[in-house]
PDB file of all heavy atoms in Angstrom:
ATOM      1  N   ASN A 321      -5.504 -21.258   3.401  1.00 98.00           N
ATOM      2  CA  ASN A 321      -4.171 -21.678   3.972  1.00 98.00           C
ATOM      3  C   ASN A 321      -4.405 -22.712   5.064  1.00 98.00           C
ATOM      4  O   ASN A 321      -5.259 -22.539   5.948  1.00 98.00           O
ATOM      5  CB  ASN A 321      -3.511 -20.405   4.512  1.00 98.00           C
ATOM      6  CG  ASN A 321      -2.050 -20.606   4.814  1.00 98.00           C
ATOM      7  OD1 ASN A 321      -1.505 -21.658   4.426  1.00 98.00           O
ATOM      8  ND2 ASN A 321      -1.366 -19.683   5.435  1.00 98.00           N
ATOM      9  N   ILE A 322      -3.639 -23.802   4.986  1.00 98.00           N
ATOM     10  CA  ILE A 322      -3.667 -24.837   5.941  1.00 98.00           C
ATOM     11  C   ILE A 322      -2.345 -24.963   6.647  1.00 98.00           C
ATOM     12  O   ILE A 322      -1.298 -25.078   6.030  1.00 98.00           O
ATOM     13  CB  ILE A 322      -4.046 -26.207   5.319  1.00 98.00           C
ATOM     14  CG1 ILE A 322      -5.388 -26.044   4.532  1.00 98.00           C
ATOM     15  CG2 ILE A 322      -4.163 -27.343   6.371  1.00 98.00           C
ATOM     16  CD1 ILE A 322      -5.857 -27.331   3.804  1.00 98.00           C
ATOM     17  N   ILE A 323      -2.362 -24.873   7.983  1.00 98.00           N
ATOM     18  CA  ILE A 323      -1.115 -24.896   8.743  1.00 98.00           C
ATOM     19  C   ILE A 323      -1.236 -25.921   9.912  1.00 98.00           C
ATOM     20  O   ILE A 323      -2.301 -26.260  10.285  1.00 98.00           O
ATOM     21  CB  ILE A 323      -0.786 -23.510   9.307  1.00 98.00           C
ATOM     22  CG1 ILE A 323      -1.911 -22.953  10.205  1.00 98.00           C
ATOM     23  CG2 ILE A 323      -0.503 -22.524   8.128  1.00 98.00           C
ATOM     24  CD1 ILE A 323      -1.627 -21.608  10.808  1.00 98.00           C
ATOM     25  N   GLU A 324      -0.058 -26.289  10.435  1.00 98.00           N
ATOM     26  CA  GLU A 324      -0.026 -27.241  11.574  1.00 98.00           C
ATOM     27  C   GLU A 324      -0.307 -26.403  12.870  1.00 98.00           C
ATOM     28  O   GLU A 324       0.274 -25.306  12.973  1.00 98.00           O
ATOM     29  CB  GLU A 324       1.330 -27.909  11.663  1.00 98.00           C
ATOM     30  CG  GLU A 324       1.616 -28.802  10.489  1.00 98.00           C
ATOM     31  CD  GLU A 324       2.643 -28.218   9.535  1.00 98.00           C
ATOM     32  OE1 GLU A 324       2.983 -26.981   9.670  1.00 98.00           O
ATOM     33  OE2 GLU A 324       3.114 -28.869   8.605  1.00 98.00           O
ATOM     34  N   ALA A 325      -1.066 -27.002  13.794  1.00 98.00           N
ATOM     35  CA  ALA A 325      -1.244 -26.341  15.083  1.00 98.00           C
ATOM     36  C   ALA A 325       0.072 -26.390  15.884  1.00 98.00           C
ATOM     37  O   ALA A 325       0.273 -25.554  16.796  1.00 98.00           O
ATOM     38  CB  ALA A 325      -2.358 -26.990  15.837  1.00 98.00           C
ATOM     39  N   LYS A 326       0.879 -27.388  15.582  1.00 97.00           N
ATOM     40  CA  LYS A 326       2.195 -27.448  16.264  1.00 97.00           C
ATOM     41  C   LYS A 326       3.236 -27.607  15.178  1.00 97.00           C
ATOM     42  O   LYS A 326       3.181 -28.643  14.449  1.00 97.00           O
ATOM     43  CB  LYS A 326       2.202 -28.680  17.205  1.00 97.00           C
ATOM     44  CG  LYS A 326       3.323 -28.715  18.205  1.00 97.00           C
ATOM     45  CD  LYS A 326       3.134 -30.012  19.044  1.00 97.00           C
ATOM     46  CE  LYS A 326       4.288 -30.210  20.035  1.00 97.00           C
ATOM     47  NZ  LYS A 326       4.462 -29.232  21.034  1.00 97.00           N
ATOM     48  N   LYS A 327       4.100 -26.641  15.057  1.00 95.00           N
ATOM     49  CA  LYS A 327       5.167 -26.791  14.050  1.00 95.00           C
ATOM     50  C   LYS A 327       6.202 -27.765  14.437  1.00 95.00           C
ATOM     51  O   LYS A 327       6.517 -27.875  15.654  1.00 95.00           O
ATOM     52  CB  LYS A 327       5.827 -25.420  13.875  1.00 95.00           C
ATOM     53  CG  LYS A 327       5.211 -24.433  12.906  1.00 95.00           C
ATOM     54  CD  LYS A 327       6.243 -23.307  12.675  1.00 95.00           C
ATOM     55  CE  LYS A 327       5.561 -22.037  12.202  1.00 95.00           C
ATOM     56  NZ  LYS A 327       6.477 -20.914  12.284  1.00 95.00           N
ATOM     57  N   ASN A 328       6.727 -28.502  13.511  1.00 90.00           N
ATOM     58  CA  ASN A 328       7.897 -29.376  13.859  1.00 90.00           C
ATOM     59  C   ASN A 328       8.936 -29.383  12.756  1.00 90.00           C
ATOM     60  O   ASN A 328       8.706 -28.785  11.742  1.00 90.00           O
ATOM     61  CB  ASN A 328       7.370 -30.797  14.132  1.00 90.00           C
ATOM     62  CG  ASN A 328       6.713 -31.385  12.880  1.00 90.00           C
ATOM     63  OD1 ASN A 328       7.329 -31.430  11.857  1.00 90.00           O
ATOM     64  ND2 ASN A 328       5.471 -31.792  13.025  1.00 90.00           N
ATOM     65  N   ASN A 329      10.053 -29.970  13.042  1.00 88.00           N
ATOM     66  CA  ASN A 329      11.099 -29.923  12.023  1.00 88.00           C
ATOM     67  C   ASN A 329      11.182 -31.149  11.149  1.00 88.00           C
ATOM     68  O   ASN A 329      12.123 -31.367  10.423  1.00 88.00           O
ATOM     69  CB  ASN A 329      12.438 -29.727  12.729  1.00 88.00           C
ATOM     70  CG  ASN A 329      12.483 -28.336  13.374  1.00 88.00           C
ATOM     71  OD1 ASN A 329      12.014 -27.385  12.832  1.00 88.00           O
ATOM     72  ND2 ASN A 329      13.144 -28.266  14.567  1.00 88.00           N
ATOM     73  N   ASP A 330      10.168 -32.005  11.292  1.00 90.00           N
ATOM     74  CA  ASP A 330      10.187 -33.228  10.427  1.00 90.00           C
ATOM     75  C   ASP A 330       9.947 -32.829   8.981  1.00 90.00           C
ATOM     76  O   ASP A 330       9.443 -31.756   8.703  1.00 90.00           O
ATOM     77  CB  ASP A 330       9.048 -34.174  10.882  1.00 90.00           C
ATOM     78  CG  ASP A 330       9.209 -34.618  12.308  1.00 90.00           C
ATOM     79  OD1 ASP A 330      10.279 -34.386  12.874  1.00 90.00           O
ATOM     80  OD2 ASP A 330       8.248 -35.125  12.924  1.00 90.00           O
ATOM     81  N   SER A 331      10.287 -33.793   8.091  1.00 91.00           N
ATOM     82  CA  SER A 331      10.181 -33.402   6.684  1.00 91.00           C
ATOM     83  C   SER A 331       8.715 -33.309   6.310  1.00 91.00           C
ATOM     84  O   SER A 331       7.818 -34.011   6.881  1.00 91.00           O
ATOM     85  CB  SER A 331      10.924 -34.398   5.830  1.00 91.00           C
ATOM     86  OG  SER A 331      10.368 -35.633   6.090  1.00 91.00           O
ATOM     87  N   LYS A 332       8.440 -32.467   5.315  1.00 95.00           N
ATOM     88  CA  LYS A 332       7.029 -32.239   4.872  1.00 95.00           C
ATOM     89  C   LYS A 332       6.726 -33.173   3.736  1.00 95.00           C
ATOM     90  O   LYS A 332       7.571 -33.518   2.945  1.00 95.00           O
ATOM     91  CB  LYS A 332       6.841 -30.751   4.489  1.00 95.00           C
ATOM     92  CG  LYS A 332       7.017 -29.843   5.713  1.00 95.00           C
ATOM     93  CD  LYS A 332       6.587 -28.393   5.263  1.00 95.00           C
ATOM     94  CE  LYS A 332       6.863 -27.405   6.358  1.00 95.00           C
ATOM     95  NZ  LYS A 332       5.884 -27.360   7.413  1.00 95.00           N
ATOM     96  N   ILE A 333       5.449 -33.536   3.632  1.00 95.00           N
ATOM     97  CA  ILE A 333       5.028 -34.331   2.453  1.00 95.00           C
ATOM     98  C   ILE A 333       4.079 -33.480   1.642  1.00 95.00           C
ATOM     99  O   ILE A 333       3.363 -32.570   2.201  1.00 95.00           O
ATOM    100  CB  ILE A 333       4.337 -35.680   2.824  1.00 95.00           C
ATOM    101  CG1 ILE A 333       3.156 -35.415   3.809  1.00 95.00           C
ATOM    102  CG2 ILE A 333       5.306 -36.651   3.412  1.00 95.00           C
ATOM    103  CD1 ILE A 333       2.144 -36.567   3.872  1.00 95.00           C
ATOM    104  N   LEU A 334       4.041 -33.752   0.355  1.00 97.00           N
ATOM    105  CA  LEU A 334       3.125 -33.103  -0.557  1.00 97.00           C
ATOM    106  C   LEU A 334       1.810 -33.938  -0.486  1.00 97.00           C
ATOM    107  O   LEU A 334       1.788 -35.137  -0.677  1.00 97.00           O
ATOM    108  CB  LEU A 334       3.649 -33.108  -1.966  1.00 97.00           C
ATOM    109  CG  LEU A 334       2.862 -32.320  -2.979  1.00 97.00           C
ATOM    110  CD1 LEU A 334       2.930 -30.813  -2.660  1.00 97.00           C
ATOM    111  CD2 LEU A 334       3.401 -32.585  -4.387  1.00 97.00           C
ATOM    112  N   CYS A 335       0.701 -33.264  -0.142  1.00 98.00           N
ATOM    113  CA  CYS A 335      -0.506 -34.056   0.118  1.00 98.00           C
ATOM    114  C   CYS A 335      -1.769 -33.274  -0.250  1.00 98.00           C
ATOM    115  O   CYS A 335      -1.770 -32.015  -0.322  1.00 98.00           O
ATOM    116  CB  CYS A 335      -0.543 -34.475   1.546  1.00 98.00           C
ATOM    117  SG  CYS A 335      -0.491 -33.061   2.711  1.00 98.00           S
ATOM    118  N   ASP A 336      -2.877 -34.011  -0.409  1.00 98.00           N
ATOM    119  CA  ASP A 336      -4.189 -33.407  -0.453  1.00 98.00           C
ATOM    120  C   ASP A 336      -4.829 -33.532   0.909  1.00 98.00           C
ATOM    121  O   ASP A 336      -4.748 -34.674   1.511  1.00 98.00           O
ATOM    122  CB  ASP A 336      -5.099 -34.099  -1.512  1.00 98.00           C
ATOM    123  CG  ASP A 336      -4.692 -33.730  -2.950  1.00 98.00           C
ATOM    124  OD1 ASP A 336      -3.698 -32.968  -3.110  1.00 98.00           O
ATOM    125  OD2 ASP A 336      -5.425 -34.148  -3.859  1.00 98.00           O
ATOM    126  N   VAL A 337      -5.408 -32.471   1.419  1.00 98.00           N
ATOM    127  CA  VAL A 337      -6.094 -32.569   2.714  1.00 98.00           C
ATOM    128  C   VAL A 337      -7.558 -32.793   2.421  1.00 98.00           C
ATOM    129  O   VAL A 337      -8.207 -31.905   1.821  1.00 98.00           O
ATOM    130  CB  VAL A 337      -5.858 -31.318   3.538  1.00 98.00           C
ATOM    131  CG1 VAL A 337      -6.593 -31.398   4.897  1.00 98.00           C
ATOM    132  CG2 VAL A 337      -4.357 -31.011   3.735  1.00 98.00           C
ATOM    133  N   VAL A 338      -8.115 -33.934   2.811  1.00 98.00           N
ATOM    134  CA  VAL A 338      -9.424 -34.320   2.408  1.00 98.00           C
ATOM    135  C   VAL A 338     -10.303 -34.681   3.622  1.00 98.00           C
ATOM    136  O   VAL A 338      -9.747 -34.998   4.680  1.00 98.00           O
ATOM    137  CB  VAL A 338      -9.432 -35.487   1.403  1.00 98.00           C
ATOM    138  CG1 VAL A 338      -8.670 -35.133   0.185  1.00 98.00           C
ATOM    139  CG2 VAL A 338      -8.864 -36.753   2.042  1.00 98.00           C
ATOM    140  N   GLY A 339     -11.609 -34.526   3.460  1.00 98.00           N
ATOM    141  CA  GLY A 339     -12.519 -34.844   4.581  1.00 98.00           C
ATOM    142  C   GLY A 339     -13.148 -36.246   4.463  1.00 98.00           C
ATOM    143  O   GLY A 339     -12.831 -37.004   3.487  1.00 98.00           O
ATOM    144  N   PRO A 340     -14.069 -36.530   5.368  1.00 98.00           N
ATOM    145  CA  PRO A 340     -14.662 -37.876   5.399  1.00 98.00           C
ATOM    146  C   PRO A 340     -15.865 -38.036   4.513  1.00 98.00           C
ATOM    147  O   PRO A 340     -16.448 -39.111   4.438  1.00 98.00           O
ATOM    148  CB  PRO A 340     -15.054 -38.095   6.842  1.00 98.00           C
ATOM    149  CG  PRO A 340     -14.818 -36.769   7.528  1.00 98.00           C
ATOM    150  CD  PRO A 340     -14.431 -35.743   6.539  1.00 98.00           C
ATOM    151  N   VAL A 341     -16.344 -36.954   3.834  1.00 98.00           N
ATOM    152  CA  VAL A 341     -17.599 -36.995   3.059  1.00 98.00           C
ATOM    153  C   VAL A 341     -17.410 -37.752   1.811  1.00 98.00           C
ATOM    154  O   VAL A 341     -16.333 -37.688   1.144  1.00 98.00           O
ATOM    155  CB  VAL A 341     -18.057 -35.523   2.822  1.00 98.00           C
ATOM    156  CG1 VAL A 341     -19.287 -35.571   1.893  1.00 98.00           C
ATOM    157  CG2 VAL A 341     -18.401 -34.818   4.105  1.00 98.00           C
TER     158      VAL A 341
END
Side-chain angles (χ1 to χ4, degrees):
N321 196 7
I322 302 177
I323 57 177
E324 296 103 352
K326 194 180 175 64
K327 273 193 204 166
N328 60 56
N329 293 324
D330 301 346
S331 59
K332 294 188 184 280
I333 54 160
L334 188 66
C335 56
D336 285 5
V337 180
V338 300
V341 172

